[in-house]
Amino acid sequence: MPIKIPNDLPAAELLRNEGVRLIGEEDALQQDIRPMQVGLLNLMPDKLTTETQFARLLGATPLQVELTLISTGSYIPSNVSQSHLQSFYQSWEQVADRKFDGLLITGAPVELLEFEEVKYWDELVRIFEWSRRHVHSTFNVCWGAQAALYHFHGVPKHTLPVKRFGIYRHEVTEPRDAARSPLMRGFDDEFWVPVSRHTEVREEDLPADGSIRVLARSSRAGLCLCEDPANRHLFMFNHLEYDTFTLDREYRRDLERGLNVEMPLRYYPDDDPAKRPVNRWRAYAHLLFGNWINEMYQTTPFDLDGIGG
């Protein structure tokens, strides 16, 4: 099934060229199914890139997904087109009376700040609390995952001595397929994931009561994926949604800014930035998001009003 996004969203043309199936308003109304309602709280300054990355994965699932783009109302970044926000985004307050099957909360370039120092922290706390009653399943990514764990469980983040940057091998923590979380169904025992962060959440800081289930970790990069089954939260600290050249753009951007940044590990063939990177994580990104959408579809109420009851 296709994904429903605004027809004139810039990401739409990019996705069509990639072969992602999109659906218009009129065609969607003619289908005798209830589309999965998914909100994307986009905290990244580069809205277009982030929209495209997540829409690409949501659009590859076998269910119809209606994507709602959401922004914070208390803080609007200066480097994003206001016309783009006004045309395609709704503030959280504008959608606060709605129910969603799923909510994606992205990362943000604020990880070196204390959580309470982030300009929109108070609003994000309200969104977290709102999600208890209005969202069936929440997928938190990178800094968004750190923020959710801190808010709901008091788990701190720790600053790394150097940026953790590159492609890292991760292991599924449950070795037998029968014992695995449905979110890890079909995953190889080991898989590769892009990592790009200055901070980390440590496994020893997770609640001692076992309420947070570790699904994947790396011996070198630490925690990757955790879930809170009781509260239907997923925490992804890395970036399976990245496209092939995302780390390359970050690396060259930081070099242009004169930052002391190391080359991303295991990314360029022969560690040569002049060579095209090889994407070794795309299949796992589609698999994880497909599993998330499928599990959400299997467990969410058919009547949206039943969410959060």
Side-chain angles (χ1 to χ4, degrees):
M1 287 289 181
I3 182 172
K4 178 186 170 188
I5 58 177
N7 291 332
D8 49 354
L9 184 72
E13 186 63 28
L14 296 173
L15 295 172
R16 286 192 189 94
N17 292 337
E18 293 179 12
V20 177
R21 291 191 62 198
L22 307 180
I23 189 168
E25 180 75 28
E26 293 182 0
D27 291 335
L29 291 174
Q30 294 177 12
Q31 295 192 339
D32 190 22
I33 58 173
R34 179 175 83 72
M36 303 298 290
Q37 298 293 327
V38 176
L40 173 62
L41 178 62
N42 191 351
L43 304 176
M44 292 296 290
D46 185 353
K47 303 294 185 193
L48 174 58
T49 297
T50 306
E51 295 156 11
T52 305
Q53 290 172 346
F54 284 109
R56 175 186 295 125
L57 298 172
L58 295 172
T61 60
L63 299 168
Q64 186 188 128
V65 175
E66 182 171 344
L67 184 64
T68 299
L69 300 175
I70 307 171
S71 63
T72 55
S74 57
Y75 175 72
I76 300 175
S78 58
N79 57 345
V80 61
S81 165
Q82 297 307 299
S83 62
H84 185 79
L85 286 176
Q86 293 170 4
S87 298
F88 303 114
Y89 279 78
Q90 299 179 65
S91 70
W92 165 65
E93 290 184 347
Q94 290 175 305
V95 301
D97 61 343
R98 290 179 54 185
K99 299 288 185 78
F100 290 89
D101 298 295
L103 176 67
L104 280 158
I105 300 179
T106 74
V110 295
E111 59 177 319
L112 292 177
L113 297 175
E114 297 297 328
F115 291 114
E116 293 82 1
E117 293 177 353
V118 175
K119 292 181 178 179
Y120 48 82
W121 177 252
D122 290 343
E123 182 179 9
L124 186 58
V125 166
R126 294 195 297 273
I127 293 172
F128 283 143
E129 289 302 309
W130 165 85
S131 72
R132 294 178 186 265
R133 303 177 302 279
H134 291 80
V135 179
H136 180 67
S137 179
T138 304
F139 194 141
N140 308 281
V141 181
C142 199
W143 180 83
Q146 296 178 343
L149 269 178
Y150 176 74
H151 172 69
F152 288 115
H153 299 280
V155 177
K157 60 182 172 69
H158 302 271
T159 301
L160 296 166
V162 295
K163 183 179 182 179
R164 191 161 289 157
F165 193 38
I167 311 302
Y168 287 80
R169 185 171 60 193
H170 289 72
E171 301 82 36
V172 176
T173 58
E174 299 150 324
R176 293 183 296 108
D177 288 345
R180 290 182 179 179
S181 162
L183 293 164
M184 303 307 292
R185 187 178 291 120
F187 267 73
D188 294 330
D189 295 340
E190 296 181 343
F191 60 102
W192 295 91
V193 185
V195 177
S196 178
R197 48 186 164 82
H198 295 273
T199 58
E200 67 176 355
V201 167
R202 296 174 182 167
E203 193 164 350
E204 58 265 28
D205 292 328
L206 297 179
D209 61 7
S211 57
I212 303 300
R213 184 180 184 183
V214 178
L215 303 182
R217 67 167 71 90
S218 166
S219 59
R220 297 188 64 185
L223 290 174
C224 175
L225 186 65
C226 301
E227 69 170 333
D228 179 354
N231 294 302
R232 302 180 307 279
H233 271 260
L234 187 63
F235 310 95
M236 164 57 80
F237 302 106
N238 302 320
H239 292 285
L240 276 174
E241 82 280 2
Y242 273 6
D243 57 44
T244 302
F245 290 97
T246 304
L247 292 183
D248 177 71
R249 290 193 296 268
E250 288 188 13
Y251 177 56
R252 298 182 190 281
R253 176 202 64 196
D254 289 348
L255 288 178
E256 290 176 0
R257 293 176 177 175
L259 301 178
N260 183 22
V261 60
E262 297 181 357
M263 183 188 305
L265 297 174
R266 292 172 293 276
Y267 180 56
Y268 298 111
D270 304 318
D271 287 332
D272 183 356
K275 294 184 177 180
R276 177 190 174 91
V278 176
N279 191 313
R280 290 181 284 174
W281 61 90
R282 183 185 296 112
Y284 300 113
H286 284 280
L287 185 55
L288 177 60
F289 276 78
N291 286 345
W292 179 58
I293 293 289
N294 181 63
E295 185 65 12
M296 186 163 54
Y297 172 75
Q298 297 291 336
T299 59
T300 193
F302 180 81
D303 186 348
L304 280 169
D305 289 337
I307 291 174

mmCIF file of all heavy atoms in Angstrom, residues 247-285:
data_model
loop_
_atom_site.group_PDB
_atom_site.id
_atom_site.type_symbol
_atom_site.label_atom_id
_atom_site.label_comp_id
_atom_site.label_asym_id
_atom_site.label_seq_id
_atom_site.Cartn_x
_atom_site.Cartn_y
_atom_site.Cartn_z
ATOM 1 N N LEU A 247 26.038 10.608 6.097
ATOM 2 C CA LEU A 247 27.273 10.757 6.857
ATOM 3 C C LEU A 247 28.315 11.552 6.065
ATOM 4 O O LEU A 247 29.095 12.319 6.648
ATOM 5 C CB LEU A 247 27.836 9.391 7.238
ATOM 6 C CG LEU A 247 27.039 8.568 8.249
ATOM 7 C CD1 LEU A 247 27.783 7.273 8.574
ATOM 8 C CD2 LEU A 247 26.768 9.343 9.529
ATOM 9 N N ASP A 248 28.318 11.378 4.758
ATOM 10 C CA ASP A 248 29.245 12.140 3.917
ATOM 11 C C ASP A 248 28.949 13.628 4.018
ATOM 12 O O ASP A 248 29.871 14.453 4.162
ATOM 13 C CB ASP A 248 29.126 11.663 2.475
ATOM 14 C CG ASP A 248 30.009 12.442 1.520
ATOM 15 O OD1 ASP A 248 31.239 12.265 1.572
ATOM 16 O OD2 ASP A 248 29.462 13.235 0.726
ATOM 17 N N ARG A 249 27.655 13.995 3.951
ATOM 18 C CA ARG A 249 27.284 15.413 4.070
ATOM 19 C C ARG A 249 27.672 15.955 5.446
ATOM 20 O O ARG A 249 28.169 17.089 5.548
ATOM 21 C CB ARG A 249 25.791 15.582 3.825
ATOM 22 C CG ARG A 249 25.370 15.344 2.383
ATOM 23 C CD ARG A 249 23.951 15.817 2.125
ATOM 24 N NE ARG A 249 22.967 15.070 2.906
ATOM 25 C CZ ARG A 249 22.352 13.985 2.482
ATOM 26 N NH1 ARG A 249 22.618 13.486 1.285
ATOM 27 N NH2 ARG A 249 21.444 13.376 3.235
ATOM 28 N N GLU A 250 27.450 15.186 6.492
ATOM 29 C CA GLU A 250 27.826 15.633 7.841
ATOM 30 C C GLU A 250 29.337 15.832 7.952
ATOM 31 O O GLU A 250 29.806 16.814 8.537
ATOM 32 C CB GLU A 250 27.364 14.608 8.873
ATOM 33 C CG GLU A 250 25.872 14.565 9.099
ATOM 34 C CD GLU A 250 25.498 13.677 10.271
ATOM 35 O OE1 GLU A 250 26.406 13.306 11.057
ATOM 36 O OE2 GLU A 250 24.310 13.338 10.402
ATOM 37 N N TYR A 251 30.094 14.897 7.401
ATOM 38 C CA TYR A 251 31.554 14.960 7.478
ATOM 39 C C TYR A 251 32.090 16.196 6.749
ATOM 40 O O TYR A 251 32.898 16.962 7.303
ATOM 41 C CB TYR A 251 32.134 13.689 6.876
ATOM 42 C CG TYR A 251 33.640 13.639 6.814
ATOM 43 C CD1 TYR A 251 34.414 13.814 7.960
ATOM 44 C CD2 TYR A 251 34.294 13.403 5.606
ATOM 45 C CE1 TYR A 251 35.798 13.758 7.900
ATOM 46 C CE2 TYR A 251 35.672 13.339 5.539
ATOM 47 C CZ TYR A 251 36.427 13.521 6.684
ATOM 48 O OH TYR A 251 37.792 13.479 6.621
ATOM 49 N N ARG A 252 31.613 16.425 5.538
ATOM 50 C CA ARG A 252 32.109 17.563 4.764
ATOM 51 C C ARG A 252 31.623 18.889 5.360
ATOM 52 O O ARG A 252 32.341 19.891 5.331
ATOM 53 C CB ARG A 252 31.682 17.414 3.302
ATOM 54 C CG ARG A 252 32.274 16.169 2.658
ATOM 55 C CD ARG A 252 31.912 16.007 1.199
ATOM 56 N NE ARG A 252 32.314 14.691 0.701
ATOM 57 C CZ ARG A 252 33.551 14.348 0.355
ATOM 58 N NH1 ARG A 252 34.517 15.254 0.431
ATOM 59 N NH2 ARG A 252 33.836 13.144 -0.080
ATOM 60 N N ARG A 253 30.415 18.912 5.923
ATOM 61 C CA ARG A 253 29.908 20.113 6.592
ATOM 62 C C ARG A 253 30.797 20.471 7.771
ATOM 63 O O ARG A 253 31.174 21.644 7.959
ATOM 64 C CB ARG A 253 28.482 19.866 7.073
ATOM 65 C CG ARG A 253 27.860 21.001 7.874
ATOM 66 C CD ARG A 253 26.722 20.480 8.726
ATOM 67 N NE ARG A 253 27.193 19.543 9.733
ATOM 68 C CZ ARG A 253 26.404 18.716 10.407
ATOM 69 N NH1 ARG A 253 25.101 18.666 10.147
ATOM 70 N NH2 ARG A 253 26.917 17.910 11.337
ATOM 71 N N ASP A 254 31.164 19.471 8.579
ATOM 72 C CA ASP A 254 31.989 19.738 9.755
ATOM 73 C C ASP A 254 33.397 20.173 9.353
ATOM 74 O O ASP A 254 34.008 21.023 10.023
ATOM 75 C CB ASP A 254 32.058 18.498 10.650
ATOM 76 C CG ASP A 254 30.733 18.220 11.353
ATOM 77 O OD1 ASP A 254 29.849 19.097 11.324
ATOM 78 O OD2 ASP A 254 30.583 17.122 11.926
ATOM 79 N N LEU A 255 33.920 19.602 8.276
ATOM 80 C CA LEU A 255 35.234 20.031 7.796
ATOM 81 C C LEU A 255 35.191 21.490 7.345
ATOM 82 O O LEU A 255 36.112 22.263 7.639
ATOM 83 C CB LEU A 255 35.690 19.138 6.639
ATOM 84 C CG LEU A 255 36.114 17.709 6.978
ATOM 85 C CD1 LEU A 255 36.497 16.963 5.708
ATOM 86 C CD2 LEU A 255 37.293 17.710 7.961
ATOM 87 N N GLU A 256 34.130 21.868 6.640
ATOM 88 C CA GLU A 256 33.991 23.250 6.178
ATOM 89 C C GLU A 256 33.888 24.221 7.349
ATOM 90 O O GLU A 256 34.321 25.372 7.249
ATOM 91 C CB GLU A 256 32.758 23.379 5.276
ATOM 92 C CG GLU A 256 32.915 22.700 3.930
ATOM 93 C CD GLU A 256 31.644 22.763 3.107
ATOM 94 O OE1 GLU A 256 30.658 23.352 3.612
ATOM 95 O OE2 GLU A 256 31.633 22.239 1.972
ATOM 96 N N ARG A 257 33.325 23.767 8.452
ATOM 97 C CA ARG A 257 33.215 24.609 9.638
ATOM 98 C C ARG A 257 34.506 24.661 10.450
ATOM 99 O O ARG A 257 34.577 25.351 11.465
ATOM 100 C CB ARG A 257 32.081 24.091 10.532
ATOM 101 C CG ARG A 257 30.692 24.245 9.917
ATOM 102 C CD ARG A 257 29.633 23.622 10.809
ATOM 103 N NE ARG A 257 28.285 23.816 10.279
ATOM 104 C CZ ARG A 257 27.182 23.292 10.814
ATOM 105 N NH1 ARG A 257 27.288 22.537 11.909
ATOM 106 N NH2 ARG A 257 26.010 23.513 10.278
ATOM 107 N N GLY A 258 35.517 23.913 10.012
ATOM 108 C CA GLY A 258 36.793 23.918 10.706
ATOM 109 C C GLY A 258 36.801 23.083 11.971
ATOM 110 O O GLY A 258 37.686 23.249 12.826
ATOM 111 N N LEU A 259 35.851 22.166 12.102
ATOM 112 C CA LEU A 259 35.777 21.333 13.297
ATOM 113 C C LEU A 259 36.788 20.194 13.207
ATOM 114 O O LEU A 259 37.120 19.709 12.118
ATOM 115 C CB LEU A 259 34.367 20.761 13.466
ATOM 116 C CG LEU A 259 33.241 21.794 13.591
ATOM 117 C CD1 LEU A 259 31.892 21.088 13.713
ATOM 118 C CD2 LEU A 259 33.478 22.693 14.804
ATOM 119 N N ASN A 260 37.255 19.757 14.339
ATOM 120 C CA ASN A 260 38.200 18.645 14.406
ATOM 121 C C ASN A 260 37.407 17.346 14.420
ATOM 122 O O ASN A 260 37.121 16.768 15.474
ATOM 123 C CB ASN A 260 39.068 18.760 15.658
ATOM 124 C CG ASN A 260 40.115 17.655 15.723
ATOM 125 O OD1 ASN A 260 40.465 17.061 14.698
ATOM 126 N ND2 ASN A 260 40.614 17.380 16.920
ATOM 127 N N VAL A 261 37.018 16.886 13.241
ATOM 128 C CA VAL A 261 36.170 15.703 13.135
ATOM 129 C C VAL A 261 36.920 14.598 12.416
ATOM 130 O O VAL A 261 37.648 14.834 11.455
ATOM 131 C CB VAL A 261 34.858 16.042 12.381
ATOM 132 C CG1 VAL A 261 35.148 16.545 10.976
ATOM 133 C CG2 VAL A 261 33.936 14.843 12.337
ATOM 134 N N GLU A 262 36.772 13.377 12.922
ATOM 135 C CA GLU A 262 37.409 12.232 12.295
ATOM 136 C C GLU A 262 36.529 11.687 11.176
ATOM 137 O O GLU A 262 35.310 11.846 11.176
ATOM 138 C CB GLU A 262 37.677 11.147 13.340
ATOM 139 C CG GLU A 262 38.645 11.580 14.429
ATOM 140 C CD GLU A 262 38.900 10.476 15.433
ATOM 141 O OE1 GLU A 262 38.274 9.384 15.297
ATOM 142 O OE2 GLU A 262 39.706 10.686 16.353
ATOM 143 N N MET A 263 37.167 11.035 10.219
ATOM 144 C CA MET A 263 36.433 10.417 9.121
ATOM 145 C C MET A 263 35.489 9.344 9.672
ATOM 146 O O MET A 263 35.853 8.608 10.594
ATOM 147 C CB MET A 263 37.432 9.784 8.146
ATOM 148 C CG MET A 263 36.808 9.168 6.906
ATOM 149 S SD MET A 263 38.041 8.263 5.940
ATOM 150 C CE MET A 263 39.286 9.538 5.697
ATOM 151 N N PRO A 264 34.259 9.243 9.156
ATOM 152 C CA PRO A 264 33.368 8.185 9.620
ATOM 153 C C PRO A 264 33.966 6.796 9.388
ATOM 154 O O PRO A 264 34.458 6.505 8.294
ATOM 155 C CB PRO A 264 32.085 8.401 8.794
ATOM 156 C CG PRO A 264 32.480 9.272 7.658
ATOM 157 C CD PRO A 264 33.621 10.101 8.132
ATOM 158 N N LEU A 265 33.924 5.967 10.411
ATOM 159 C CA LEU A 265 34.532 4.645 10.352
ATOM 160 C C LEU A 265 33.751 3.696 9.449
ATOM 161 O O LEU A 265 32.513 3.730 9.411
ATOM 162 C CB LEU A 265 34.599 4.039 11.756
ATOM 163 C CG LEU A 265 35.459 4.769 12.794
ATOM 164 C CD1 LEU A 265 35.288 4.126 14.162
ATOM 165 C CD2 LEU A 265 36.923 4.756 12.372
ATOM 166 N N ARG A 266 34.482 2.862 8.709
ATOM 167 C CA ARG A 266 33.892 1.786 7.901
ATOM 168 C C ARG A 266 32.796 2.304 6.961
ATOM 169 O O ARG A 266 31.781 1.647 6.748
ATOM 170 C CB ARG A 266 33.345 0.669 8.804
ATOM 171 C CG ARG A 266 34.439 -0.105 9.540
ATOM 172 C CD ARG A 266 33.854 -1.056 10.564
ATOM 173 N NE ARG A 266 33.229 -0.318 11.651
ATOM 174 C CZ ARG A 266 33.889 0.172 12.704
ATOM 175 N NH1 ARG A 266 35.195 0.021 12.788
ATOM 176 N NH2 ARG A 266 33.252 0.841 13.654
ATOM 177 N N TYR A 267 33.013 3.467 6.407
ATOM 178 C CA TYR A 267 31.993 4.106 5.576
ATOM 179 C C TYR A 267 32.456 4.239 4.127
ATOM 180 O O TYR A 267 31.789 3.764 3.215
ATOM 181 C CB TYR A 267 31.667 5.468 6.175
ATOM 182 C CG TYR A 267 30.629 6.276 5.437
ATOM 183 C CD1 TYR A 267 29.359 5.761 5.183
ATOM 184 C CD2 TYR A 267 30.907 7.586 5.016
ATOM 185 C CE1 TYR A 267 28.392 6.515 4.522
ATOM 186 C CE2 TYR A 267 29.947 8.346 4.367
ATOM 187 C CZ TYR A 267 28.695 7.806 4.118
ATOM 188 O OH TYR A 267 27.752 8.561 3.469
ATOM 189 N N TYR A 268 33.622 4.876 3.917
ATOM 190 C CA TYR A 268 34.157 5.008 2.564
ATOM 191 C C TYR A 268 34.986 3.768 2.211
ATOM 192 O O TYR A 268 35.774 3.303 3.049
ATOM 193 C CB TYR A 268 35.057 6.244 2.466
ATOM 194 C CG TYR A 268 34.375 7.559 2.743
ATOM 195 C CD1 TYR A 268 34.674 8.286 3.892
ATOM 196 C CD2 TYR A 268 33.447 8.092 1.857
ATOM 197 C CE1 TYR A 268 34.067 9.507 4.150
ATOM 198 C CE2 TYR A 268 32.828 9.303 2.106
ATOM 199 C CZ TYR A 268 33.142 10.010 3.258
ATOM 200 O OH TYR A 268 32.533 11.213 3.507
ATOM 201 N N PRO A 269 34.842 3.230 1.009
ATOM 202 C CA PRO A 269 35.713 2.127 0.594
ATOM 203 C C PRO A 269 37.186 2.534 0.684
ATOM 204 O O PRO A 269 37.570 3.620 0.236
ATOM 205 C CB PRO A 269 35.289 1.876 -0.867
ATOM 206 C CG PRO A 269 33.871 2.366 -0.926
ATOM 207 C CD PRO A 269 33.822 3.560 -0.003
ATOM 208 N N ASP A 270 37.984 1.684 1.330
ATOM 209 C CA ASP A 270 39.418 1.937 1.516
ATOM 210 C C ASP A 270 39.680 3.227 2.288
ATOM 211 O O ASP A 270 40.767 3.820 2.163
ATOM 212 C CB ASP A 270 40.151 1.989 0.171
ATOM 213 C CG ASP A 270 39.948 0.737 -0.663
ATOM 214 O OD1 ASP A 270 39.985 -0.357 -0.083
ATOM 215 O OD2 ASP A 270 39.725 0.864 -1.883
ATOM 216 N N ASP A 271 38.680 3.683 3.070
ATOM 217 C CA ASP A 271 38.795 4.938 3.818
ATOM 218 C C ASP A 271 39.176 6.110 2.916
ATOM 219 O O ASP A 271 39.911 7.021 3.321
ATOM 220 C CB ASP A 271 39.819 4.801 4.960
ATOM 221 C CG ASP A 271 39.286 3.953 6.092
ATOM 222 O OD1 ASP A 271 38.062 3.905 6.281
ATOM 223 O OD2 ASP A 271 40.105 3.340 6.803
ATOM 224 N N ASP A 272 38.634 6.096 1.721
ATOM 225 C CA ASP A 272 38.915 7.142 0.742
ATOM 226 C C ASP A 272 37.642 7.957 0.514
ATOM 227 O O ASP A 272 36.696 7.485 -0.132
ATOM 228 C CB ASP A 272 39.383 6.509 -0.565
ATOM 229 C CG ASP A 272 39.756 7.544 -1.616
ATOM 230 O OD1 ASP A 272 39.577 8.755 -1.369
ATOM 231 O OD2 ASP A 272 40.218 7.141 -2.707
ATOM 232 N N PRO A 273 37.589 9.210 1.040
ATOM 233 C CA PRO A 273 36.382 10.030 0.882
ATOM 234 C C PRO A 273 36.026 10.359 -0.556
ATOM 235 O O PRO A 273 34.910 10.834 -0.824
ATOM 236 C CB PRO A 273 36.722 11.309 1.660
ATOM 237 C CG PRO A 273 37.816 10.923 2.587
ATOM 238 C CD PRO A 273 38.604 9.879 1.857
ATOM 239 N N ALA A 274 36.931 10.099 -1.481
ATOM 240 C CA ALA A 274 36.629 10.345 -2.888
ATOM 241 C C ALA A 274 35.802 9.215 -3.493
ATOM 242 O O ALA A 274 35.251 9.371 -4.590
ATOM 243 C CB ALA A 274 37.920 10.505 -3.691
ATOM 244 N N LYS A 275 35.687 8.084 -2.784
ATOM 245 C CA LYS A 275 34.942 6.939 -3.285
ATOM 246 C C LYS A 275 33.523 6.951 -2.744
ATOM 247 O O LYS A 275 33.280 7.371 -1.622
ATOM 248 C CB LYS A 275 35.651 5.639 -2.905
ATOM 249 C CG LYS A 275 36.999 5.461 -3.570
ATOM 250 C CD LYS A 275 37.617 4.106 -3.240
ATOM 251 C CE LYS A 275 38.943 3.911 -3.967
ATOM 252 N NZ LYS A 275 39.556 2.592 -3.644
ATOM 253 N N ARG A 276 32.613 6.453 -3.536
ATOM 254 C CA ARG A 276 31.196 6.423 -3.151
ATOM 255 C C ARG A 276 30.978 5.465 -1.989
ATOM 256 O O ARG A 276 31.411 4.303 -2.041
ATOM 257 C CB ARG A 276 30.347 5.990 -4.342
ATOM 258 C CG ARG A 276 28.852 5.860 -4.029
ATOM 259 C CD ARG A 276 28.104 5.201 -5.182
ATOM 260 N NE ARG A 276 26.703 4.944 -4.832
ATOM 261 C CZ ARG A 276 25.714 5.790 -5.053
ATOM 262 N NH1 ARG A 276 25.962 6.934 -5.660
ATOM 263 N NH2 ARG A 276 24.486 5.479 -4.687
ATOM 264 N N PRO A 277 30.317 5.909 -0.917
ATOM 265 C CA PRO A 277 30.038 5.009 0.208
ATOM 266 C C PRO A 277 29.137 3.852 -0.226
ATOM 267 O O PRO A 277 28.336 3.986 -1.160
ATOM 268 C CB PRO A 277 29.321 5.905 1.222
ATOM 269 C CG PRO A 277 29.622 7.309 0.796
ATOM 270 C CD PRO A 277 29.822 7.276 -0.682
ATOM 271 N N VAL A 278 29.278 2.728 0.469
ATOM 272 C CA VAL A 278 28.446 1.561 0.210
ATOM 273 C C VAL A 278 27.390 1.472 1.306
ATOM 274 O O VAL A 278 27.710 1.472 2.493
ATOM 275 C CB VAL A 278 29.292 0.274 0.180
ATOM 276 C CG1 VAL A 278 28.389 -0.956 0.005
ATOM 277 C CG2 VAL A 278 30.324 0.341 -0.943
ATOM 278 N N ASN A 279 26.124 1.397 0.913
ATOM 279 C CA ASN A 279 25.027 1.328 1.879
ATOM 280 C C ASN A 279 24.858 -0.129 2.317
ATOM 281 O O ASN A 279 24.509 -0.995 1.509
ATOM 282 C CB ASN A 279 23.739 1.847 1.238
ATOM 283 C CG ASN A 279 22.635 2.053 2.256
ATOM 284 O OD1 ASN A 279 22.365 1.195 3.088
ATOM 285 N ND2 ASN A 279 21.975 3.203 2.201
ATOM 286 N N ARG A 280 25.091 -0.391 3.626
ATOM 287 C CA ARG A 280 24.979 -1.744 4.173
ATOM 288 C C ARG A 280 23.854 -1.857 5.203
ATOM 289 O O ARG A 280 23.778 -2.851 5.923
ATOM 290 C CB ARG A 280 26.307 -2.153 4.825
ATOM 291 C CG ARG A 280 27.429 -2.386 3.838
ATOM 292 C CD ARG A 280 28.700 -2.796 4.545
ATOM 293 N NE ARG A 280 29.351 -1.661 5.193
ATOM 294 C CZ ARG A 280 30.424 -1.761 5.977
ATOM 295 N NH1 ARG A 280 30.925 -2.940 6.248
ATOM 296 N NH2 ARG A 280 30.978 -0.689 6.503
ATOM 297 N N TRP A 281 22.995 -0.845 5.270
ATOM 298 C CA TRP A 281 21.969 -0.845 6.313
ATOM 299 C C TRP A 281 20.554 -0.650 5.772
ATOM 300 O O TRP A 281 19.586 -0.755 6.508
ATOM 301 C CB TRP A 281 22.273 0.272 7.312
ATOM 302 C CG TRP A 281 22.263 1.645 6.703
ATOM 303 C CD1 TRP A 281 21.190 2.494 6.597
ATOM 304 C CD2 TRP A 281 23.356 2.341 6.093
ATOM 305 N NE1 TRP A 281 21.548 3.668 5.966
ATOM 306 C CE2 TRP A 281 22.878 3.606 5.650
ATOM 307 C CE3 TRP A 281 24.707 2.023 5.886
ATOM 308 C CZ2 TRP A 281 23.700 4.532 5.013
ATOM 309 C CZ3 TRP A 281 25.524 2.948 5.239
ATOM 310 C CH2 TRP A 281 25.010 4.187 4.823
ATOM 311 N N ARG A 282 20.400 -0.392 4.491
ATOM 312 C CA ARG A 282 19.096 -0.046 3.925
ATOM 313 C C ARG A 282 18.047 -1.126 4.202
ATOM 314 O O ARG A 282 16.910 -0.830 4.591
ATOM 315 C CB ARG A 282 19.229 0.175 2.418
ATOM 316 C CG ARG A 282 17.931 0.609 1.747
ATOM 317 C CD ARG A 282 18.098 0.692 0.235
ATOM 318 N NE ARG A 282 19.060 1.716 -0.172
ATOM 319 C CZ ARG A 282 20.240 1.455 -0.725
ATOM 320 N NH1 ARG A 282 20.621 0.201 -0.931
ATOM 321 N NH2 ARG A 282 21.054 2.435 -1.083
ATOM 322 N N ALA A 283 18.404 -2.389 4.003
ATOM 323 C CA ALA A 283 17.435 -3.469 4.189
ATOM 324 C C ALA A 283 16.951 -3.540 5.633
ATOM 325 O O ALA A 283 15.773 -3.811 5.904
ATOM 326 C CB ALA A 283 18.046 -4.807 3.770
ATOM 327 N N TYR A 284 17.854 -3.292 6.591
ATOM 328 C CA TYR A 284 17.471 -3.353 8.005
ATOM 329 C C TYR A 284 16.562 -2.183 8.382
ATOM 330 O O TYR A 284 15.684 -2.326 9.236
ATOM 331 C CB TYR A 284 18.719 -3.375 8.875
ATOM 332 C CG TYR A 284 19.614 -4.556 8.588
ATOM 333 C CD1 TYR A 284 20.873 -4.383 8.016
ATOM 334 C CD2 TYR A 284 19.179 -5.851 8.861
ATOM 335 C CE1 TYR A 284 21.688 -5.469 7.737
ATOM 336 C CE2 TYR A 284 19.994 -6.942 8.584
ATOM 337 C CZ TYR A 284 21.240 -6.741 8.016
ATOM 338 O OH TYR A 284 22.046 -7.820 7.727
ATOM 339 N N ALA A 285 16.774 -1.038 7.753
ATOM 340 C CA ALA A 285 15.891 0.098 8.005
ATOM 341 C C ALA A 285 14.466 -0.233 7.574
ATOM 342 O O ALA A 285 13.497 -0.032 8.320
ATOM 343 C CB ALA A 285 16.399 1.331 7.262
#
